[in-house]
Amino acid sequence: MAFASKFLLLMAFSLALYNAAALKQKVTRIQFYMHDIVGGPHPTAVRVAGRSNFTGQDPFEAMFGSISVMDNPLTVAPSINSTLVGRGQGIYGMSSQEEFSLLMALTYAFTAGPYNGSTFSVLGRNPVMKEEREMPIVGGTGKFRLARGYCLARTHSMNGMNAVIGYNVTLLHY
């Protein structure tokens, strides 16, 4: 009986070590640029809801409540003509009456390179006029399965309401 108990304990310990090694997290760091094009003949972000009865002068109050849907290109460099690596797809809403701040729910879907077929999702506040914004990563698929982490966004350039945003991403995943 003592031998059987020791054997079962040894097996349980071995299985626990195996599972711990199998679940070891990886850290991936990625940098890319997202092109948010709201004007021109081929916009990648389109306003789908907003206030129609606002008569005030404050532009933040006028935009408050607006919802946009996006399908933005992701590139390796700030130029729209650089290598396309994926799409930033989701929605964002104007969520502040006092500053240019968005609530973002989007998925970064990679279509080329080493992360082709993988995604990660962001859900959080983006105070656009801050130099650097931090947003949480809440999940992922493919190589980023069970991802969590954060992304740091910096506006690289703006032309009217069109923007190029640089992203530095740190992902923890299995």
Side-chain angles (χ1 to χ4, degrees):
M1 187 70 154
F3 175 75
S5 296
K6 288 180 183 177
F7 179 73
L8 287 175
L9 185 60
L10 179 62
M11 290 302 293
F13 182 70
S14 297
L15 187 57
L17 286 178
Y18 173 77
N19 284 338
L23 295 177
K24 185 171 172 44
Q25 288 188 330
K26 300 173 191 153
V27 176
T28 299
R29 289 184 173 78
I30 307 170
Q31 181 176 358
F32 57 84
Y33 293 84
M34 183 173 76
H35 301 264
D36 192 48
I37 304 165
V38 297
H42 303 289
T44 62
V46 177
R47 184 175 162 184
V48 296
R51 295 170 78 173
S52 60
N53 61 349
F54 183 74
T55 58
Q57 299 297 316
D58 188 328
F60 295 119
E61 284 187 49
M63 294 170 54
F64 177 68
S66 297
I67 305 292
S68 294
V69 175
M70 66 180 186
D71 182 16
N72 293 338
L74 307 177
T75 59
V76 297
S79 170
I80 190 69
N81 297 319
S82 67
T83 303
L84 182 71
V85 293
R87 310 293 296 185
Q89 300 171 326
I91 61 174
Y92 55 85
M94 301 297 182
S95 59
S96 177
Q97 296 182 53
E98 298 174 3
E99 66 176 332
F100 188 15
S101 182
L102 307 172
L103 173 62
M104 308 201 44
L106 64 134
T107 296
Y108 296 95
F110 293 89
T111 58
Y115 309 115
N116 185 16
S118 298
T119 71
F120 68 87
S121 295
V122 169
L123 176 63
R125 182 175 184 271
N126 182 355
V128 175
M129 300 314 286
K130 286 192 174 182
E131 183 176 342
E132 182 175 75
R133 290 93 65 193
E134 181 176 342
M135 292 170 282
I137 295 170
V138 297
T141 65
K143 291 186 178 180
F144 303 135
R145 183 171 291 136
L146 298 174
R148 63 182 211 251
Y150 62 95
C151 58
L152 299 175
R154 287 179 171 260
T155 302
H156 179 269
S157 63
M158 285 191 79
N159 182 4
M161 290 299 288
N162 297 335
V164 177
I165 302 100
Y167 279 87
N168 286 303
V169 178
T170 301
L171 290 150
L172 301 171
H173 56 95
Y174 295 97

